[in-house]
């Protein structure tokens, strides 16, 4: 009977106000720990699985585009890789922009790498997405020249194209009489070539993408990019193994 009595008293204490509060506190703490664990797991798994899948499919599509355009696939991929090496930007994004550049007549090698580095640096300086800036530079490459519209799109993202190009022409090309106003006038007439445009931005911002890794946001993006590379290796092997079965269906 004493044992039964002690058990009843213990249950009474557990379900007293203080006991219930203590149990609720332990429950909340347990839920917080579990949620934190799930979030940590998701933070690691999502970039590997989802980021890896996206990277694998984008690279595959870019390589198909390279072949369709008659570009050297290996050389173009090498240019894309060199342009984003040591940055927070991913190879699949650079490869997609490289395809646009290739369609605009930019050849793999130094010319392609310079243009892609210009995109990376400008994106880092403006805080914009790589593809967002790549779209602007791709339009310039496709037209073979930069227009006032292209300058306006950059201005909307916090970068003065006329300032960058006028400084480049003065400092690098030795054209001391060039001013921002004269560049704006040339842009309105479509007389700024794509080559000058790309070279100027690469000269001005080419190293900015690597420097962005010193920021928290940049380092986080760099980590996610590294995790997606891991996922891409496995997903590419898996996807390639499934292609014959899909085609036989």
């Amino acid at each position: 009977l004493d044992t039964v009595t002690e058990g009843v008293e213990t249950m009474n204490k557990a379900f007293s106000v203080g006991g219930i509060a203590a149990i609720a506190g332990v429950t909340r703490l347990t839920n917080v720990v579990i949620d934190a664990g799930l979030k940590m797991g998701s933070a690691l798994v999502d970039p590997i699985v989802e980021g890896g899948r996206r990277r694998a499919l984008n690279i595959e599509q870019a390589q198909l585009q390279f072949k369709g355009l008659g570009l050297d696939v290996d050389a173009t991929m090498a240019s894309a890789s060199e342009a984003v090496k040591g940055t927070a930007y991913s190879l699949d994004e650079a490869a997609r922009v490289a395809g646009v550049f290739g369609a605009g007549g930019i050849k793999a090698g130094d010319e392609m790498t310079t243009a892609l580095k210009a995109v990376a640096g400008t994106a880092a300086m403006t805080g914009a997405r790589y593809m967002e800036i790549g779209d602007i530079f791709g339009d310039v490459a496709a037209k073979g020249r930069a227009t006032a519209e292209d300058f306006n799109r950059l201005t909307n993202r916090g970068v003065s194209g006329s300032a960058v190009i006028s400084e480049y022409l003065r400092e690098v090309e030795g054209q001391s009489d060039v001013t921002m106003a004269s560049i704006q006038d040339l842009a309105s007439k479509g007389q700024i070539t794509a080559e000058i445009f790309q070279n100027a931005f690469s000269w001005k911002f080419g190293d900015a993408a690597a420097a962005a890794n010193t920021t928290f946001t940049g380092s986080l993006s760099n980590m996610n990019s590294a995790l997606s590379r891991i996922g891409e290796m496995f997903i590419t092997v898996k996807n390639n193994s499934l292609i014959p079965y899909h085609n036989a269906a």
Side-chain angles (χ1 to χ4, degrees):
L1 289 175
D2 290 341
T3 302
V4 173
T5 300
E6 290 177 359
V8 171
E9 289 178 353
T10 300
M11 291 294 292
N12 285 334
K13 289 179 181 179
F15 286 96
S16 66
V17 175
I20 292 173
I23 292 172
V26 171
T27 301
R28 283 196 299 270
L29 179 60
T30 301
N31 289 337
V32 168
V33 171
I34 291 173
D35 288 345
L38 291 173
K39 288 178 180 178
M40 288 176 64
S42 178
L44 289 174
V45 172
D46 286 352
I48 292 176
V49 177
E50 295 303 324
R53 180 182 293 113
R54 184 169 55 251
R55 178 186 172 97
L57 294 176
N58 284 343
I59 288 176
E60 180 182 49
Q61 184 61 39
Q63 290 177 334
L64 180 64
Q65 184 181 19
F66 297 164
K67 292 177 183 178
L69 292 170
L71 303 176
D72 185 319
V73 175
D74 291 337
T76 306
M77 286 300 296
S79 289
S81 179
E82 178 65 24
V84 296
K85 182 169 63 177
T87 76
Y89 302 111
S90 61
L91 175 60
D92 61 306
E93 291 179 311
R96 289 173 63 188
V97 176
V100 177
F101 284 168
I106 297 177
K107 295 179 174 57
D110 291 342
E111 184 181 6
M112 179 74 75
T113 302
T114 296
L116 292 171
K117 280 187 174 181
V119 174
T122 306
M125 288 300 298
T126 60
R129 292 179 295 106
Y130 189 93
M131 292 302 302
E132 186 179 349
I133 299 300
D135 183 54
I136 298 173
F137 279 67
D139 284 349
V140 172
K143 294 179 294 191
R145 64 187 188 278
T147 63
E149 180 185 357
D150 302 313
F151 279 49
N152 289 337
R153 292 172 70 187
L154 288 169
T155 299
N156 291 338
R157 290 161 179 80
V159 174
S160 171
S162 58
V164 171
I165 293 175
S166 61
E167 184 180 357
Y168 168 78
L169 292 176
R170 288 195 304 270
E171 299 292 333
V172 178
E173 300 295 336
Q175 299 181 25
S176 57
D177 58 338
V178 173
T179 64
M180 289 177 56
S182 65
I183 293 299
Q184 290 168 353
D185 181 58
L186 290 173
S188 67
K189 299 175 181 176
Q191 295 178 355
I192 302 293
T193 67
E195 183 179 9
I196 289 176
F197 182 86
Q198 291 149 7
N199 287 345
F201 277 89
S202 181
W203 168 78
K204 184 67 175 177
F205 301 133
D207 296 329
N213 287 341
T214 60
T215 67
F216 174 80
T217 302
S219 63
L220 183 62
S221 296
N222 201 23
M223 182 188 73
N224 287 337
S225 182
L227 291 174
S228 71
R229 284 197 295 271
I230 296 172
E232 182 260 329
M233 290 188 292
F234 293 100
I235 290 170
T236 296
V237 172
K238 175 188 173 184
N239 287 353
N240 288 342
S241 69
L242 292 174
I243 291 174
Y245 297 100
H246 291 165
N247 289 333

